[in-house]
Amino acid sequence: MKSVPSLFASSVFNDAAMRERLPKDVYRALRKTMSQATHLELDVANVVASAMKDWAVERGVTHYTHWFQPMTGITAEKHDSFISPTADGRVIMEFSGKELVRGEPDASSFPSGGLRATFEARGYTVWDTTSYAFIKDGTLCIPTAFCSYSGESLDKKTPLLRSMEAIDRQARRILACFGNTAVRRVVPEVGAEQEYFLIDKAVYLKRPDLICAGRTLFGAPPPKGQELEDHYFGTLKPRVSAYMKELDEELWKLGICAKTKHNEVAPAQHELAPIFATTNIATDHNQLTMELMKSIANKHGMACLLHEKPFAGVNGSGKHNNWSISTDAGVNLLEPGETPYANAQFLLFLVAVIKAVDEHQDLLRVSVASAGNDHRLGANEAPPAIVSMFLGEELTQILEAIESGKGYCNKRKRPMEIGVSVLPHFPKDTTDRNRTSPLAFTGNKFEFRMLGSMFSVAGPNIVLNTIVAESLRQFADALEKSKDFTRDLAALVKKTFSAHKRIIFNGNNYADEWVAKAKARGLSNLKTTVDALPAFISKESVKLFTKHHVFSATELHSRYEILMENYCKTLHIEALTMLDLVKGGIIPACIAYQNEIATLLTHKKALGGHPLYATALEDDLLQKISGLSASLLAKLDTLEKVLAGAKKASGVLAHARFYRDKVFAAMAELRLDVDKLETLVAKKHWPLPSYVDMLYSVV
Ligand code: ADP
Ligand code: MG
């Protein structure tokens, strides 16, 4: 292997490549477009495209693609070759500025929530100049935003970029109030920790439920799951280690700072964490990471499961979204500083986040809602569906002291005044780490832990950026008019904390008492996706997102439809897969085993009452299996009928409720019988590998 520094970003047309290959004036013009999000002139684009193409062709590339992130949650690409015929019958490799900057994929088959009728299904992809082009699989990939003919966003990137602009605008207003007008840009940054499962490909291919639904729809609990917690941080098995090594290398080539890797709590579960980056880049990188996790697993004879809950009764997989905001000079605005002014500024940004989370809990809940994540949130492993924040003891005490006016007694026993005193230095608390909190302050960033492993981080960050932008907007409106800044600032911090402190909970979020306590505090508890999604199109949500130019009302409604439809389709596919498995594999297995037992019984009975030919075992087994089989048949019938009935529910909300209340319940009932039968029917007849076969398949 080449040294890591020479390998790193070798497949990326990054700043170093640009500087080396572009004429100085073109390089400068492009940098300006990137840093100030200004328009890219066509003559500049032409030179950039040509240099980019030469760089790619030298690396064996023949095609290019506009790489985008439609509402499917994964990425899309359509490949075009660089070839261009010449008059004398040869071809040359060509790539124009127009082709670089804009694409026109036929977009009729991407989800649009009714935004675009098929007959006018033109979509545009536009280069996101702030995310570098890269080579994947012999193709030059241009990261792009995707929108409709009339300019509505059809992807996850466009609103994300808009939300980044919103928080930049408002945060700079606040900084200006503190006299800091030199900051040119404030950017939100994200480090996305990614959990996943690895199982052997041969077992995977024998599980149609994993193939079609991404999770096991049946499976009796294994005798050994995660009880001993012996997998967490355990030694990596050689196959897993080889996989992680190749994954790291491939990620590094793409300029992705893969940093940490380890085994997670559940058997076969692992985690990868990169070093944080600007949000849109971190989003692109996380999409690429998930894609590579799957393709490299395949090469190593394994399957990578990214579903939130592949195995019932075993921890699911999440994604931790570490979020902070920093200036273009690299100053983290969530870092408690060492001077009084920095402290006051920190406290203001901190209460801005507290206010945002309290006022818009429901939108944060929406941003992590999916059929898959419904299995996690609220179970005893992930944060519950109730959104709350953890600040840690010390920071909470400081805010409480400010609120009560009694003064915070630090080591010098001096009361603290905002804007005058120096805050104590907060250690990054690794000891008193609250792992149950949905949104934990961890020293200089917030860790949002409710995301499912399959999620694009775009959605949650669109919400985080926008709601915090709104708090900052209100603060800036007040402070810009202030005649006595220190006094008004202190009053604002105090008032905001007082009004929103109910969202702070430093205790155990998994405890049953919390549910009642949260209710008493008036916090929402939206248990399922169907409960959560309507908040997305509420009057307040439309007002918020339109005010900050993140979503138009039409875009919000279309996304709501897409998310609800996606929920229904997911459950529909799961139900159909269950029906298929039961009819095609489980019933035949029950019949075959019953036949075997019945044949033996007949033989034994023919030999007459000798104790050697006792039939108690066979009688008992046959009775149990035939009893359960009859019950199974009835439940199969119910699920089929219920599924047929789903068509009748009118309207997207009624439809989704029907799936949640009726279809899901019928599926759960059916599973009960199948899982019991699995423990009775001989393994040689059972059509599916067991939980043990899967969870311990990689040796
Ligand atoms: P852990 O949560 O496992 O203790 P860390 O706190 O070191 O690990 O970091 C977890 C993730 O948070 C990493 O992806 C890291 O790059 C990211 N991170 C660290 N600092 C910041 C920051 N200021 N803003 C956003 N993400 C950050
Ligand atoms: Mg973490």
Side-chain angles (χ1 to χ4, degrees):
M1 188 185 107
K2 282 205 276 185
S3 75
V4 178
S6 63
L7 193 75
F8 192 79
S10 54
S11 300
V12 186
F13 193 68
N14 61 4
D15 193 60
M18 285 176 189
R19 199 191 297 255
E20 185 190 315
R21 288 174 180 259
L22 295 175
K24 268 208 179 76
D25 54 331
V26 172
Y27 171 76
R28 245 180 266 127
L30 183 60
R31 286 299 319 175
K32 188 164 166 235
T33 304
M34 288 163 77
S35 61
Q36 293 167 29
T38 51
H39 182 69
L40 187 67
E41 297 300 334
L42 193 60
D43 53 339
V44 176
N46 276 329
V47 181
V48 178
S50 174
M52 210 186 255
K53 182 253 313 170
D54 290 343
W55 170 85
V57 168
E58 282 166 26
R59 284 157 179 77
V61 168
T62 51
H63 288 67
Y64 73 92
T65 182
H66 275 200
W67 185 75
F68 58 105
Q69 300 170 23
M71 292 301 296
T72 51
I74 52 172
T75 57
E77 46 196 72
K78 184 190 91 183
H79 300 215
D80 281 299
S81 71
F82 288 128
I83 63 166
S84 169
T86 58
D88 58 357
R90 293 176 306 123
V91 293
I92 51 165
M93 301 297 254
E94 251 181 7
F95 187 43
S96 71
K98 230 169 93 189
E99 287 169 310
L100 165 66
V101 172
R102 203 165 97 151
E104 263 184 56
D106 172 7
S108 55
S109 297
F110 290 110
S112 76
L115 260 188
R116 220 167 2 93
T118 312
F119 59 85
E120 50 182 12
R122 207 150 19 138
Y124 289 110
T125 48
V126 184
W127 184 24
D128 167 14
T129 50
T130 57
S131 185
Y132 298 127
F134 57 90
I135 298 169
K136 180 169 68 77
D137 234 358
T139 295
L140 174 69
C141 299
I142 323 279
T144 54
F146 179 45
C147 59
S148 76
Y149 183 67
S150 46
E152 276 112 357
S153 65
L154 295 173
D155 68 348
K156 306 217 168 204
K157 176 169 264 197
T158 310
L160 179 66
L161 293 171
R162 293 176 187 158
S163 74
M164 290 168 69
E165 282 173 23
I167 198 166
D168 167 45
R169 264 194 304 274
Q170 305 304 335
R172 275 190 290 120
R173 287 178 67 196
I174 296 289
L175 293 179
C177 292
F178 281 87
N180 187 349
T181 48
V183 171
R184 292 233 300 270
R185 231 181 135 96
V186 171
V187 281
E189 309 204 284
V190 164
E193 300 165 65
Q194 176 74 45
E195 290 180 344
Y196 61 99
F197 279 87
L198 282 178
I199 63 169
D200 191 82
K201 196 164 149 194
V203 226
Y204 171 81
L205 290 174
K206 286 189 196 140
R207 293 286 317 207
D209 46 0
L210 282 181
I211 295 169
C212 296
R215 71 180 182 102
T216 53
L217 299 165
F218 300 120
K224 177 180 188 287
Q226 63 197 48
E227 302 78 7
L228 301 176
E229 297 181 332
D230 51 351
H231 193 253
Y232 193 51
F233 285 10
T235 318
L236 301 177
K237 292 183 175 134
R239 263 178 94 185
V240 173
S241 174
Y243 163 82
M244 287 179 169
K245 193 163 175 286
E246 182 167 348
L247 179 60
D248 275 343
E249 281 170 27
E250 289 306 315
L251 292 172
W252 290 335
K253 281 187 202 163
L254 288 171
I256 300 172
C257 296
K259 171 91 176 156
T260 312
K261 52 188 181 184
H262 61 82
N263 284 348
E264 258 301 329
V265 174
Q269 194 183 31
H270 313 280
E271 181 182 303
L272 180 145
I275 294 174
F276 66 98
T278 305
T279 308
N280 63 320
I281 315 263
T283 306
D284 288 358
H285 283 180
N286 183 250
Q287 292 295 139
L288 282 170
T289 302
M290 290 195 285
E291 191 182 324
L292 284 176
M293 279 180 165
K294 282 178 166 277
S295 61
I296 294 172
N298 197 34
K299 258 178 81 183
H300 286 246
M302 297 186 286
C304 169
L305 311 178
L306 287 175
H307 193 281
E308 284 79 19
K309 193 73 181 173
F311 306 100
V314 175
N315 268 8
S317 299
K319 178 141 45 194
H320 291 176
N321 189 84
N322 294 274
W323 179 91
S324 67
I325 31 180
S326 96
T327 68
D328 51 354
V331 176
N332 180 355
L333 299 172
L334 294 178
E335 181 81 55
E338 306 213 342
T339 60
Y341 254 49
N343 290 168
Q345 189 181 294
F346 161 73
L347 286 175
L348 190 66
F349 277 102
L350 183 70
V351 292
V353 181
I354 295 172
K355 172 179 157 72
V357 176
D358 183 37
E359 284 179 344
H360 304 288
Q361 312 157 35
D362 291 1
L363 290 178
L364 283 170
R365 174 67 185 90
V366 168
S367 79
V368 293
S370 77
N373 216 18
D374 278 1
H375 297 283
R376 258 179 93 238
L377 300 180
N380 254 12
E381 51 170 290
I386 306 163
V387 177
S388 72
M389 294 169 88
F390 168 84
L391 292 185
E393 212 176 307
E394 188 163 24
L395 203 44
T396 310
Q397 278 172 8
I398 289 170
L399 287 167
E400 279 167 354
I402 291 172
E403 189 198 12
S404 69
K406 286 199 192 113
Y408 173 75
C409 285
N410 59 13
K411 284 196 189 90
R412 282 169 289 153
K413 301 265 178 229
R414 281 225 302 271
M416 206 191 68
E417 253 177 77
I418 295 180
V420 184
S421 318
V422 179
L423 277 188
H425 193 74
F426 313 117
K428 274 188 203 161
D429 53 343
T430 39
T431 42
D432 110 282
R433 195 99 188 255
N434 186 326
R435 297 209 149 263
T436 69
S437 176
L439 189 60
F441 184 71
T442 48
N444 60 0
K445 63 185 191 292
F446 278 97
E447 184 169 355
F448 187 28
R449 303 198 179 111
M450 292 173 90
L451 287 74
S453 46
M454 224 160 52
F455 274 69
S456 157
V457 295
N461 286 295
I462 292 169
V463 172
L464 272 171
N465 295 341
T466 312
I467 62 178
V468 175
E470 173 58 16
S471 294
L472 297 175
R473 183 195 69 78
Q474 292 180 25
F475 289 179
D477 280 357
L479 292 174
E480 281 167 357
K481 290 198 281 272
S482 165
K483 300 259 178 331
D484 183 342
F485 183 69
T486 307
R487 190 199 62 201
D488 291 347
L489 173 69
L492 187 58
V493 170
K494 183 173 165 170
K495 187 179 89 182
T496 309
F497 176 70
S498 217
H500 300 290
K501 64 180 178 189
R502 64 170 184 165
I503 198 75
I504 293 159
F505 179 58
N506 292 333
N508 178 8
N509 284 259
Y510 298 166
D512 290 336
E513 302 90 81
W514 172 230
V515 177
K517 213 169 173 180
K519 195 169 171 201
R521 291 189 189 185
L523 302 182
S524 332
N525 186 2
L526 302 166
K527 290 212 173 74
T528 68
T529 298
V530 187
D531 300 314
L533 288 181
F536 205 36
I537 49 167
S538 69
K539 260 210 308 261
E540 298 77 41
S541 170
V542 173
K543 207 169 138 202
L544 170 80
F545 285 114
T546 52
K547 185 188 286 162
H548 291 277
H549 310 289
V550 173
F551 286 121
S552 67
T554 327
E555 286 171 340
L556 277 173
H557 278 91
S558 84
R559 270 152 215 262
Y560 167 79
E561 300 260 327
I562 292 170
L563 292 166
M564 279 291 193
E565 269 174 23
N566 184 280
Y567 176 87
C568 298
K569 284 179 188 165
T570 304
L571 264 68
H572 195 78
I573 292 168
E574 289 183 351
L576 287 180
T577 309
M578 277 186 143
L579 294 175
D580 252 24
L581 275 173
V582 171
K583 289 190 212 166
I586 285 151
I587 291 180
C590 294
I591 292 175
Y593 193 42
Q594 286 180 78
N595 185 33
E596 221 172 273
I597 304 168
T599 310
L600 180 62
L601 261 179
T602 321
H603 287 321
K604 280 190 173 179
K605 284 190 174 148
L607 291 166
H610 190 281
L612 268 181
Y613 302 114
T615 59
L617 176 72
E618 291 82 355
D619 280 331
D620 183 57
L621 207 50
L622 200 54
Q623 205 171 15
K624 280 186 183 142
I625 295 175
S626 64
L628 272 170
S629 301
S631 161
L632 177 74
L633 209 58
K635 289 178 179 180
L636 184 75
D637 191 48
T638 308
L639 181 56
E640 269 185 320
K641 287 211 178 87
V642 164
L643 208 52
K647 291 191 196 86
K648 291 189 207 112
S650 70
V652 70
L653 184 59
H655 201 216
R657 283 189 178 143
F658 188 91
Y659 272 96
R660 180 194 61 189
D661 299 334
K662 301 282 192 292
V663 177
F664 192 70
M667 285 165 59
E669 273 298 317
L670 186 65
R671 177 171 186 156
L672 280 179
D673 286 355
V674 173
D675 290 358
K676 276 187 211 146
L677 280 163
E678 185 184 343
T679 64
L680 297 171
V681 174
K683 208 166 164 48
K684 67 170 183 182
H685 291 297
W686 198 253
L688 300 169
S690 70
Y691 267 31
V692 167
D693 297 335
M694 288 182 282
L695 290 169
Y696 303 99
S697 59
V698 175
V699 286

